[in-house]
Amino acid sequence: MSSVSCPEYPELQDKLQRLAMARDSLTLQVSVLSEQVSAQKEKIRDLESLLTQRRGEDIHSETHHSLIRLDLPIPFPPSSPTTCSFEKGMATPFLHH
């Protein structure tokens, strides 16, 4: 902390000291926040790199695993017997009541 002197006005001396301490505190806070920002930037770079790697993986496999985690039904591929039966008209009687 730098020393500021104003002996003729003690109330100004106190105010100057408080302002100097506040400045020093803010300087320290800026330093800490700057370090935190740098750390967050590094984390973001790491996550972006991981995302780029993951994009290269099999998308179908990821979708399948995501649906299992969400407990959603897994859609059948177009060549499956269920889809073919549906496409051949199994649902038609239900639509013409």
Side-chain angles (χ1 to χ4, degrees):
M1 181 172 86
S2 61
S3 176
V4 180
S5 179
C6 189
E8 301 87 30
Y9 302 98
E11 64 277 351
L12 287 179
Q13 178 69 31
D14 290 341
K15 187 171 184 174
L16 285 172
Q17 286 178 345
R18 284 193 308 272
L19 288 173
M21 288 189 317
R23 180 198 60 217
D24 293 343
S25 174
L26 289 172
T27 301
L28 179 61
Q29 289 177 27
V30 166
S31 176
V32 168
L33 290 172
S34 294
E35 289 177 16
Q36 290 176 349
V37 166
S38 294
Q40 290 296 322
K41 284 181 180 180
E42 188 174 331
K43 280 185 182 180
I44 289 170
R45 279 192 297 273
D46 291 344
L47 289 171
E48 285 175 338
S49 175
L50 181 62
L51 180 60
T52 301
Q53 290 174 0
R54 290 261 173 126
R55 284 182 178 160
E57 293 178 359
D58 182 15
I59 294 173
H60 176 72
S61 175
E62 286 186 20
T63 302
H64 177 79
H65 293 300
S66 295
L67 291 173
I68 289 172
R69 278 195 307 271
L70 294 172
D71 197 28
L72 296 174
I74 299 171
F76 291 100
S79 62
S80 73
T82 304
T83 305
C84 292
S85 299
F86 181 78
E87 289 174 354
K88 289 181 182 176
M90 280 188 65
T92 307
F94 298 109
L95 297 175
H96 297 289
H97 273 83

